[in-house]
Amino acid sequence: MAERKMQVEVLRYDPDRDTEPRYQTYEVGCDPDWVVLDALTKIKDEIDDSLSFRWSCHMAVCGSCGMTVNGEPVLSCKTFIRDFPDKIKVEPLDNFPIERDLVVVMDDFIEKFEAVKPYIIPKEPRSIEQGTYLQTPAQLKAYKQYSMCINCLCCYAACPQVALNDDFIGPAALALAHRYNLDTRDVGRSAREDVVAAHEGVWECSFVGACSQVCPKDVDPAAAIQQSKIASTTDYFTSFITGGSK
Ligand code: SF4
Ligand code: SF4
């Protein structure tokens, strides 16, 4: 099939030169099977090498190429040009400061991510001789969906509570905390509880579900957060009944 001419309107912002973001439109000849990332790559390679955007794998695995296309947070490597009319608008993800053009500053997310201790905290360390912990298929299934996150940040861009409260830990980090709390090899739930069960943790979520709608890996962070709320509530009442100090 013939090449299709697309008007690609891109938000540009160079903090060293621009006082505020501006838009620049490029006319790009696109192959019919191209994704938005291909169009951006053509702009950078052939039209304007000053355009900045993140990408790495081009196969929806690395999570680097999250951006806003015609108002929706998406992976640009998974978003086909053919699904749009002759003009597309490409912007950085909402709810993050702009580093440059389509690249956002991720520092705040990384801090939140680290705060939930996103790793297995074992009951006791195992030596190499003891081998790895084994799990049944059912034990794996309990958390597998929540382990598929690629940190693309699309859910943070879609979440109305992230927009309202900078301190909200947010969907992906909370889903990841839930993933480890459900893992039979992990005993770190109490170590995560101060962050997960805080007001800026699961209780800040209003369960709109926008995070799950935009997630390109079907992680369903909204479900993880609601399950965490139930677990935290159960913990609270259990400690209340047993006289614990939660
Ligand atoms: S369900 Fe919670 S985390 Fe997901 S978008 Fe809504 S408020 Fe944000
Ligand atoms: S939960 Fe989904 S949308 Fe959010 S960062 Fe992970 S993969 Fe991306």
Side-chain angles (χ1 to χ4, degrees):
M1 273 173 73
E3 201 179 71
R4 182 174 162 218
K5 290 280 180 214
M6 293 289 294
Q7 300 285 315
V8 183
E9 185 181 16
V10 184
L11 184 141
R12 305 296 313 270
Y13 178 59
D14 177 349
D16 293 332
R17 287 176 28 195
D18 300 325
T19 51
E20 56 184 32
R22 61 194 165 85
Y23 288 91
Q24 187 164 354
T25 301
Y26 303 91
E27 187 174 270
V28 188
C30 298
D31 285 357
D33 59 350
W34 272 12
V35 290
V36 171
L37 181 59
D38 294 319
L40 294 174
T41 303
K42 183 163 183 177
I43 294 170
K44 186 158 182 82
D45 287 350
E46 299 179 17
I47 305 172
D48 182 353
D49 64 3
S50 71
L51 180 64
S52 296
F53 53 96
R54 277 197 190 107
W55 71 280
S56 182
C57 74
H58 205 299
M59 49 195 277
V61 172
C62 74
S64 306
C65 71
M67 50 190 82
T68 307
V69 177
N70 283 14
E72 292 290 323
V74 294
L75 287 182
S76 58
C77 72
K78 214 181 162 204
T79 303
F80 285 90
I81 298 275
R82 62 175 175 253
D83 295 334
F84 295 93
D86 292 343
K87 182 167 182 177
I88 53 174
K89 188 174 195 175
V90 188
E91 299 166 289
L93 290 173
D94 280 345
N95 299 334
F96 291 93
I98 302 172
E99 180 100 44
R100 184 166 166 155
D101 298 338
L102 301 171
V103 179
V104 296
V105 180
M106 294 177 62
D107 300 22
D108 184 62
F109 167 71
I110 298 293
E111 274 179 31
K112 290 169 178 172
F113 180 74
E114 289 176 351
V116 302
K117 303 187 193 308
Y119 41 81
I120 289 171
I121 301 174
K123 191 170 183 183
E124 52 195 37
R126 283 173 81 95
S127 66
I128 291 175
E129 291 73 32
Q130 286 173 304
T132 56
Y133 288 98
L134 297 178
Q135 287 185 310
T136 66
Q139 288 171 331
L140 171 65
K141 192 177 173 199
Y143 67 81
K144 188 173 177 199
Q145 175 184 9
Y146 305 127
S147 73
M148 303 307 282
C149 175
I150 56 172
N151 301 322
C152 69
L153 308 184
C154 289
C155 53
Y156 282 72
C159 174
Q161 296 305 110
V162 170
L164 288 173
N165 183 353
D166 287 343
D167 294 328
F168 178 33
I169 295 292
L174 289 170
L176 202 56
H178 192 53
R179 169 255 177 275
Y180 285 102
N181 287 344
L182 291 173
D183 193 316
T184 52
R185 299 166 295 179
D186 181 275
V187 294
R189 187 167 153 198
S190 59
R192 297 183 189 101
E193 194 69 351
D194 282 354
V195 174
V196 170
H199 180 70
E200 284 75 24
V202 292
W203 301 108
E204 183 67 18
C205 166
S206 57
F207 198 24
V208 178
C211 53
S212 296
Q213 283 173 17
V214 300
C215 178
K217 304 301 281 188
D218 295 325
V219 172
D220 200 355
I225 293 171
Q226 306 327 304
Q227 288 169 15
S228 292
K229 283 182 183 174
I230 293 168
S232 292
T233 305
T234 305
D235 282 353
Y236 175 79
F237 282 108
T238 302
S239 70
F240 191 67
I241 291 164
T242 58
S245 57
K246 251 193 156 20

